[in-house]
Amino acid sequence: MKKIVLTGAAGRLGSYLRETLAKLADELVSSDLVPDLGKLLPNEQYVCADLSDLTTITALLKDADMVVHFGAIGDEAPFDDILQSNIVGAYNIWEAAYKNGVRRVIYASSIHAVGMHKKTDFIGTDAPHRPDTYYGLAKCFAEDLASLYWDKRGVESVCLRILSASQVSNPRAVGSWLSYDDLIQLVEKSISTPVAGFSIVYGVSNNDRAPVDNALASHLGYRPKDNAEQFAAEIYATQPALDPQDPSAMCHGGPFASVELGNSGIATMNIIPDKKEI
Ligand SMILES: NC(=O)c1ccc[n+]([C@@H]2O[C@H](COP(=O)([O-])OP(=O)(O)OC[C@H]3O[C@@H](n4cnc5c(N)ncnc54)[C@H](O)[C@@H]3O)[C@@H](O)[C@H]2O)c1
């Protein structure tokens, strides 16, 4: 492949993807809002670009074979912020992909597109959208946009409904963990699969207590290797028990299922900011 574009390259998950993506193409173009990404890989260039600007994003995707779209506000936020970065930003990515003849978009969707479903429902990738926040609503919009651009314009997409791609630091993560190695495998498979069309897959490791079903995404060949059960005993012994009447314990979206719209969902999740350095 000649060129891959990565958005959200300065973010935590982007930092784990850059080396792998650089190996899969002659050229990796990494992009984000920061003025400077720091040290770059030999075949990597950095472009500062705001997702909400269609002209900029159209230029960014010129001659790209695929785009790995991880740039977004990664938390619940006021609607106007979500509207620009996550909704208009998503439209700009798919529209720019179409205009430039980009073959496939690999998209960081989220469990929060279906976050109000009960965890006792073992949901598949065909579960109806049931967002828990404006953030989740924007992920629903982008998944539907991906579907529309496949049906009407032939742009392939793989929507990765990531659960929790961070160290296991709370009881929910014993089911929802996506290890960084499995995230990398998921993105690699999404790129290398010969035919993706419009696909949805849950981004979750091979956890004994994974609350979602990837059977309908089997064609991607994603076979996660890590299992959060290794952390279960310690997490359950040291963290307060979950209240089964609380939506944040009952629903797939965790804390996002109970926050007021516009307020941070990740503030209470004890996420460890372990960005990878090049
Ligand atoms: N971390 C998780 O567990 C998780 C779970 C589900 C989905 N996701 C999704 O994965 C992606 C990456 O998540 P992350 O944890 O690395 O988040 P992050 O906040 O560390 O990274 C997101 C990056 O997007 C950039 N960005 C935001 N608005 C932008 C704009 N208008 N233009 C250009 N860039 C912009 C930010 O500067 C940031 O560097 C996000 O789309 C997030 O919604 C993450």
Side-chain angles (χ1 to χ4, degrees):
M1 216 179 315
K2 287 206 175 92
K3 175 169 163 181
I4 294 178
V5 174
L6 170 67
T7 70
R12 188 163 52 81
L13 302 194
S15 77
Y16 285 89
L17 295 175
R18 287 168 55 200
E19 282 186 52
T20 297
L21 296 178
K23 287 184 194 141
L24 294 176
D26 296 342
E27 184 188 5
L28 171 65
V29 175
S30 291
S31 178
D32 206 297
L33 282 177
V34 296
D36 181 5
L37 195 57
K39 193 176 166 207
L40 296 176
L41 296 155
N43 63 338
E44 181 183 31
Q45 66 158 300
Y46 176 69
V47 177
C48 172
D50 190 328
L51 288 161
S52 64
D53 186 273
L54 179 59
T55 307
T56 306
I57 298 304
T58 304
L60 179 72
L61 267 54
K62 186 167 185 301
D63 297 330
D65 298 288
M66 293 196 188
V67 51
V68 178
H69 178 38
F70 273 57
I73 293 173
D75 190 7
E76 173 62 339
F79 182 74
D80 282 346
D81 298 344
I82 295 287
L83 178 62
Q84 291 311 316
S85 289
N86 297 19
I87 296 180
V88 174
Y91 168 76
N92 290 345
I93 286 287
W94 269 274
E95 180 63 13
Y98 169 65
K99 283 185 174 152
N100 282 294
V102 174
R103 184 172 150 215
R104 189 176 296 168
V105 181
I106 319 301
Y107 173 56
S109 185
S110 168
I111 187 68
H112 300 294
V114 288
M116 293 309 295
H117 285 284
K118 299 273 183 297
K119 278 213 274 194
T120 42
D121 296 338
F122 185 53
I123 55 172
T125 52
D126 56 351
H129 282 158
R130 203 165 167 188
D132 51 29
T133 43
Y134 297 136
Y135 167 80
L137 183 67
K139 298 296 186 190
C140 296
F141 171 80
E143 288 188 357
D144 285 348
L145 192 67
S147 167
L148 181 67
Y149 270 63
W150 166 241
D151 287 339
K152 287 289 182 74
R153 292 183 156 178
V155 178
E156 289 193 310
S157 295
V158 184
C159 298
L160 318 176
R161 277 189 195 156
I162 299 168
L163 279 77
S164 309
S166 53
Q167 291 182 42
V168 178
S169 57
N170 58 64
R172 174 173 173 262
V174 174
S176 63
W177 186 47
L178 173 64
S179 72
Y180 293 128
D181 284 348
D182 285 335
L183 167 71
I184 289 166
Q185 187 207 141
L186 182 60
V187 171
E188 278 178 324
K189 296 286 188 187
S190 301
I191 288 171
S192 67
T193 192
V195 175
F198 167 69
S199 296
I200 295 177
V201 58
Y202 287 107
V204 66
S205 281
N206 185 32
N207 307 324
D208 288 1
R209 305 177 204 226
V212 291
D213 180 9
N214 260 335
L216 294 175
S218 190
H219 59 282
L220 296 174
Y222 170 59
R223 301 291 179 268
K225 298 204 170 13
D226 290 315
N227 187 335
E229 202 57 26
Q230 61 188 300
F231 308 110
E234 191 188 337
I235 290 279
Y236 291 143
T238 54
Q239 302 266 334
L242 297 175
D243 172 2
Q245 301 297 337
D246 179 353
S248 67
M250 281 296 290
C251 296
H252 282 280
F256 283 60
S258 58
V259 286
E260 284 294 324
L261 291 176
N263 289 352
S264 172
I266 63 175
T268 59
M269 289 171 75
N270 189 23
I271 290 180
I272 295 152
D274 56 350
K275 220 191 251 191
K276 186 174 177 187
E277 299 300 328
I278 295 293

